[in-house]
Amino acid sequence: MTSPKDDSSSTNPQAPQPVNQLANQPTSQNEWPLWEVFIRGQHGMSHRHFGSLHAANAEMAIKNARDVYTRRNEGVSIWVVQANDITASSPSDKGPLYEPAEDKVYRHPSFYKIPDDIGAM
Amino acid sequence: MYAQLIKADTSQREEDAARTQAFQRRIDAGEKIEPKDWMPEGYRRTLIRQIGQHAHSEIVGQLPEGNWISRAPTLERKTILLAKVQDEAGHGLYLYCAAETLGVSRDEMTEMLLDERMKYSSIFNYPTLTWADMGAVGWLVDGAAIMNQVPLQRTSYGPYARAMIRICKEESFHQRQGFDIMNQLAKGTPAQKTMAQNALDRFWYPALMMFGPPDSDSVHSEQNMAWKIKMNGNDELRQKFVDLTVPQAEYLGLTIPDETLQWNEEKGGYDFAGPDWGEFFDVIKGNGPCNKERLEARRKAWEDGAWVRDGLLAHAKKKARRAAQEAA
Ligand SMILES: [Fe+2]
Ligand SMILES: [Fe+2]
């Protein structure tokens, strides 16, 4: 059996190490890839992030997600995506990204005064 | 609780005092800290230790109960116990993935458990000698764990808090199935009732130890409280546990093995005898009845599973390589 080290040397040594943008580390080269798990609950909701797990491939990730996250009928549909494939906004971009929305109060219905006589609107 | 004696790691490097203050203000305001947010090194390292210890406890905690799966008295009890033990595996996994977001890998955590740099709860170093122990463990051990885990749903670290919310949803089944076992035995033949009483006698003090030593002896809790990693004092939770559990034991017709136990009208709670803390520290040090057996079981599982991990890792790398070649 090839040891993990021999195997990784056969990949392009220049290739940047995959980085998990959701957490604080480059993904370990000696563990099964990390997958983020998204599950649709029973009630017509959109898929929601539930957690993560390690699996060798997508099929195994789905099966493990079924066992780890839906032991009590929590879901009707599972998505798994490799953590390395997710691009995340960075916390330091919080200002530039979201502050512009703060002074746009006219985007909310409460900005407009509708006369009482009008009834429900 | 599943994390005991967590010392706050305050060995801060020359860190920006202003950042540290801003961080504390976020915690005081009830904001959640998320993985990519700035955090003091001490906070990060203390959390890794605490969440890691908690995760290891869930995993090692499967062993004393797994011991009875094949010998459960009925098929129904067997399926229930199997589901309960499977839940504990899930709890371990939720917590490992929360710890991983702090920059420690799962393999590192496992290795730290196996070479004893990381600990797991003292309670799982006690043996489960009879079927009644499955009752006592669910009722008392899961009961004590719930006491600690419910407030941790509000802990400051987002991934940890979310893991605790999932865990708490599942725990109450664990405690109830344990109580149900005790109830059935207590109402059974005299021999069954004796078995239940013996299990209570053996697990009572180890369960009280789960909350950790008296607050007067825990020097490190202040920082962890400020960080909202620790939510309550050890004595406070232990008192709450005793106050809730004593009437349940009375209902079962079983006797708490404490002659000093007495209702104290003034404080609105029971006076009770503390456990033998010498025994507690001895168990933590590795000298409990089952420490060796538990670690050996974990080491064997890790070593026996190595070929599966390696084989599937090679498969994952091959697939990644092919995908990269195709994209090139
Ligand atoms: Fe658990
Ligand atoms: Fe449990």
Side-chain angles (χ1 to χ4, degrees):
Chain A
M1 189 192 303
T2 9
S3 87
K5 287 214 176 72
D6 299 341
D7 197 46
S8 61
S9 64
S10 62
T11 60
N12 179 0
Q14 262 83 21
Q17 221 189 8
V19 169
N20 176 1
Q21 295 200 9
L22 306 178
N24 288 301
Q25 67 191 129
T27 33
S28 161
Q29 292 298 287
N30 294 311
E31 290 184 351
W32 297 345
L34 185 68
W35 300 77
E36 298 297 331
V37 178
F38 299 82
I39 293 175
R40 186 202 299 286
Q42 300 284 48
H43 309 293
M45 312 283 271
S46 47
H47 286 73
R48 190 167 67 78
H49 184 239
F50 259 56
S52 56
L53 49 78
H54 291 272
N57 59 33
E59 196 191 340
M60 184 180 168
I62 295 264
K63 284 185 176 148
N64 288 356
R66 195 274 316 263
D67 286 346
V68 178
Y69 292 108
T70 65
R71 289 192 302 281
R72 288 178 178 78
N73 271 325
E74 289 93 335
V76 293
S77 165
I78 299 174
W79 290 348
V80 291
V81 56
Q82 267 200 43
N84 291 336
D85 292 333
I86 293 180
T87 307
S89 66
S90 112
S92 57
D93 290 342
K94 219 160 124 188
L97 284 179
Y98 311 116
E99 271 164 24
E102 276 172 18
D103 57 5
K104 297 183 174 54
V105 282
Y106 48 84
R107 292 188 172 181
H108 298 278
S110 52
F111 179 72
Y112 303 92
K113 307 267 169 298
I114 302 297
D116 288 345
D117 320 345
I118 295 291
M121 179 184 273
Chain B
M1 64 183 72
Y2 288 172
Q4 297 156 324
L5 297 175
I6 301 295
K7 290 184 186 163
D9 191 328
T10 48
S11 57
Q12 294 204 19
R13 291 167 295 139
E14 282 296 294
E15 258 169 342
D16 189 348
R19 268 181 141 180
T20 306
Q21 278 171 16
F23 176 82
Q24 188 60 49
R25 274 197 301 275
R26 290 189 61 196
I27 290 186
D28 294 343
E31 275 182 48
K32 293 287 181 225
I33 308 303
E34 295 297 340
K36 297 287 280 182
D37 295 347
W38 185 86
M39 59 188 83
E41 257 311 285
Y43 176 84
R44 196 180 67 81
R45 283 199 297 260
T46 307
L47 264 179
I48 289 176
R49 240 195 338 253
Q50 176 166 333
I51 303 174
Q53 188 181 121
H54 193 160
H56 296 325
S57 297
E58 302 282 357
I59 298 298
V60 176
Q62 293 179 97
L63 297 170
E65 290 179 293
N67 176 39
W68 278 93
I69 291 174
S70 64
R71 291 176 289 161
T74 66
L75 185 57
E76 187 186 58
R77 290 290 184 196
K78 182 172 174 162
T79 54
I80 291 171
L81 186 58
L82 201 53
K84 198 250 182 202
V85 173
Q86 192 190 13
D87 272 358
E88 306 300 5
H91 297 175
L93 293 176
Y94 309 153
L95 288 161
Y96 282 130
C97 74
E100 279 175 293
T101 65
L102 291 158
V104 63
S105 78
R106 189 159 319 188
D107 283 3
E108 278 174 76
M109 280 186 281
T110 305
E111 276 151 20
M112 285 193 274
L113 168 70
L114 298 186
D115 65 24
E116 300 177 61
R117 277 174 294 156
M118 276 179 113
K119 302 207 174 296
Y120 55 89
S121 176
S122 56
I123 190 71
F124 301 118
N125 290 312
Y126 290 86
T128 45
L129 304 176
T130 71
W131 170 252
D133 290 12
M134 295 303 96
V137 167
W139 174 38
L140 302 174
V141 175
D142 290 82
I146 289 170
M147 208 90 315
N148 171 54
Q149 289 170 346
V150 165
L152 275 176
Q153 294 178 105
R154 293 180 285 107
T155 188
S156 61
Y157 190 56
Y160 190 23
R162 292 190 285 274
M164 291 317 309
I165 289 170
R166 292 189 59 79
I167 288 175
C168 285
K169 267 190 199 153
E170 299 178 348
E171 282 295 349
S172 65
F173 141 62
H174 298 179
Q175 192 185 16
R176 284 179 178 212
Q177 65 85 38
F179 185 81
D180 191 56
I181 291 171
M182 291 304 261
N183 195 22
Q184 195 165 358
L185 291 173
K187 296 203 165 86
T189 64
Q192 286 171 326
K193 188 169 179 181
T194 305
M195 198 196 276
Q197 180 64 52
N198 286 341
L200 170 58
D201 291 348
R202 280 180 290 109
F203 276 95
W204 177 252
Y205 288 104
L208 294 186
M209 291 177 198
M210 289 175 68
F211 298 95
D215 294 324
S216 50
D217 301 351
S218 329
V219 250
H220 299 278
S221 54
E222 217 165 292
Q223 176 66 74
N224 291 347
M225 293 268 218
W227 279 334
K228 293 193 188 161
I229 294 178
K230 185 179 176 63
M231 309 298 287
N232 306 80
N234 298 347
D235 294 326
E236 175 195 352
L237 290 177
R238 189 168 16 247
Q239 179 73 53
K240 210 170 149 194
F241 173 75
V242 171
D243 292 345
L244 273 172
T245 308
V246 170
Q248 294 165 359
E250 276 165 12
Y251 173 88
L252 293 171
L254 299 178
T255 311
I256 304 271
D258 176 359
E259 283 171 9
T260 68
L261 186 80
Q262 205 176 9
W263 177 255
N264 180 331
E265 192 64 53
E266 212 171 304
K267 77 171 179 186
Y270 288 92
D271 290 331
F272 60 95
D276 173 354
W277 293 112
E279 178 184 320
F280 170 75
F281 285 108
D282 216 31
V283 172
I284 291 274
K285 259 187 244 143
N287 303 321
C290 299
N291 296 56
K292 250 188 108 201
E293 190 185 326
R294 301 293 185 235
L295 271 180
E296 265 162 25
R298 290 310 306 149
R299 286 195 188 109
K300 184 172 186 309
W302 182 244
E303 281 157 21
D304 289 355
W307 68 274
V308 180
R309 292 194 303 277
D310 290 348
L312 285 170
L313 180 66
H315 162 77
K317 287 192 168 171
K318 184 181 74 187
K319 286 196 80 164
R321 202 161 55 237
R322 286 204 184 140
Q325 276 163 3
E326 269 164 39

